Amino acid sequence: MFNKDLPLFVWSVAITAFLVIVALPVLAAAITLLLFDRNFNTSFYDPVGGGDVVLYQHLFWFFGHPEVYILILPGFGIVSHIIATFSKKRVFGHVPMIAAMLMIGLIGFIVWAHHMYTSGIDTSTKAYFTAATMVIAIPTGIKVFNWLATMYGGSIWLYTPMYFAVGFVILFTIGGITGIVLANAGIDTSIHDTYYVVAHFHYVLSMGAVFAIYGGFYYWWGKMTGLNYSESLGQTHFWMTFVGVNLTFFPMHFLGSGGMPRRIPDYPDMYQFYNTLATYVKCPRNPWIFIDSRDLIDRMIGLVYYVEKYGVYGKNKPKEITADFIEKWLSVKYVTNRYIISAESIKTTTLEWTLTSPPALHTFLVPPKIFTTGKHYKEYRWNARMHTRRKFLPLYLGKLELTKDRFCTTIYITYNPLITNHKIFGSKELN
């Protein structure tokens, strides 16, 4: 198995670890200098003593901008796995997806001053950071279009993890487009520190990264615990969150474009309409805002009822919200066998689905051997193993081999979408 064949989530975490190692020492230095200024009478940031008042901003944002990629990169890996699994296809452009994450991680270190267009930096510096920031749209666009290409032509399973993954792509794309707007120094000068910026980073992180986390939770929950979640509750969770966050944060684009500043507790009457739309308590159009916990539970019951009636099972028969209905769907003991993700029932290319749910302790006595096969690899993969009938080995075919008095697991991986998994485990033709 080659490094470029590693799962995209593994790559995303490795790149995130690199960003953490490089970025955090700069923050540590910045707050250490601040501590010296406040307690030991130094002048690193004090112009009176020869310091630079903007230096702290430079140091902070040199850490701060890679930090947003530290938050979102693992989400990229999670979403890639979910979309590939529930499209029953391999991720389109596996190697370009790795390259895009590497480019995002590297370029993220040279664009920090786009947060500082109003701090007094000169025009040529603004021009550089505008151009460098817009360059990040290239690898990000590669990832978005590769996700769409993965779904295109696939046999899509629309279950809760896939809902959250698709929601991530939609919301992250909206946040990325507003990021391109904010990358331009001339525009950012007008809308800096307005609610347009609030809408932007909430679409990217509070809605993008969080949707990826939710999707990963539903995707691996069965593998981690051996239990399945309620599909109705899962889809209710998605629709409540998706509709709610859009009704809350999308109007902020209009508020920011109109000049409403952030961090100000009051606003003039000209901003009343969109503030009401975004924050009006008990507004039936915005289920994201609640008066109290009972209000939340009431809306949960109503939405679970609607999702069960029209969404999951497609039933149009009227139902009454009875005590049994509430107990059935809100009981923590209720699980469903709506679907089971396993090596027999779904196409995937990561090793955890070859194991039991939950995986046993000490799953592999020794690290498994990975043999990657596939039609488009056979010309340059020296270790590709072929079927006796010259057909490529099916997806995740595993067996135990006795080598030098030690058992090791050999796992064969193929990307042939024409071979179904239910035919794998009955086959004994492994050589």
Side-chain angles (χ1 to χ4, degrees), residues 281-282 289-299:
V281 178
K282 203 65 175 178
I289 308 298
F290 310 105
I291 291 179
D292 52 27
S293 60
R294 187 171 184 81
D295 184 29
L296 169 62
I297 293 174
D298 289 343
R299 299 191 191 189

Side-chain angles (χ1 to χ4, degrees), residues 99-315:
M101 287 190 290
L102 289 169
M103 290 177 62
I104 290 171
L106 293 175
I107 299 174
F109 280 105
I110 58 173
V111 296
W112 73 91
H114 65 215
H115 298 273
M116 302 168 55
Y117 286 145
T118 60
S119 65
I121 57 178
D122 57 83
T123 303
S124 58
T125 304
K126 292 180 181 179
Y128 160 73
F129 281 103
T130 296
T133 303
M134 296 181 74
V135 167
I136 293 188
I138 297 174
T140 306
I142 289 173
K143 297 193 71 66
V144 170
F145 283 108
N146 280 9
W147 286 324
L148 296 178
T150 303
M151 289 185 281
Y152 180 78
S155 179
I156 296 178
W157 285 9
L158 276 178
Y159 292 104
T160 302
M162 190 61 169
Y163 274 104
F164 276 104
V166 174
F168 167 88
V169 174
I170 295 171
L171 299 176
F172 183 79
T173 301
I174 295 174
I177 292 172
T178 58
I180 293 298
V181 175
L182 291 167
N184 291 270
I187 300 175
D188 183 78
T189 302
S190 300
I191 57 179
H192 184 78
D193 266 349
T194 67
Y195 268 86
Y196 195 93
V197 180
V198 177
H200 160 68
F201 67 72
H202 277 88
Y203 265 85
V204 173
L205 292 178
S206 297
M207 299 156 73
V210 170
F211 268 57
I213 293 171
Y214 285 150
F217 174 83
Y218 284 106
Y219 180 56
W220 280 300
W221 172 255
K223 177 55 63 178
M224 292 186 293
T225 66
L227 301 173
N228 292 315
Y229 61 88
S230 166
E231 187 64 29
S232 290
L233 289 178
Q235 290 192 25
T236 300
H237 175 204
F238 168 77
W239 286 114
M240 286 185 67
T241 309
F242 185 81
V243 174
V245 295
N246 277 286
L247 287 175
T248 299
F249 293 110
F250 197 80
M252 294 182 184
H253 292 101
F254 306 112
L255 292 171
S257 300
M260 180 176 173
R262 55 188 295 209
R263 305 193 185 98
I264 304 298
D266 202 358
Y267 51 87
D269 291 341
M270 63 181 292
Y271 302 126
Q272 176 67 47
F273 174 74
Y274 289 116
N275 271 279
T276 301
L277 181 61
T279 63
Y280 185 59
V281 178
K282 203 65 175 178
C283 176
R285 294 168 296 178
N286 191 347
W288 186 249
I289 308 298
F290 310 105
I291 291 179
D292 52 27
S293 60
R294 187 171 184 81
D295 184 29
L296 169 62
I297 293 174
D298 289 343
R299 299 191 191 189
M300 280 282 294
I301 293 171
L303 280 171
V304 169
Y305 164 77
Y306 183 85
V307 170
E308 187 199 32
K309 180 179 178 183
Y310 299 106
V312 176
Y313 301 107
K315 297 179 180 178

Side-chain angles (χ1 to χ4, degrees), residues 417-429:
L418 300 179
I419 300 177
T420 55
N421 284 332
H422 70 272
K423 298 179 180 178
I424 294 176
F425 294 88
S427 173
K428 296 183 180 179
E429 301 181 30

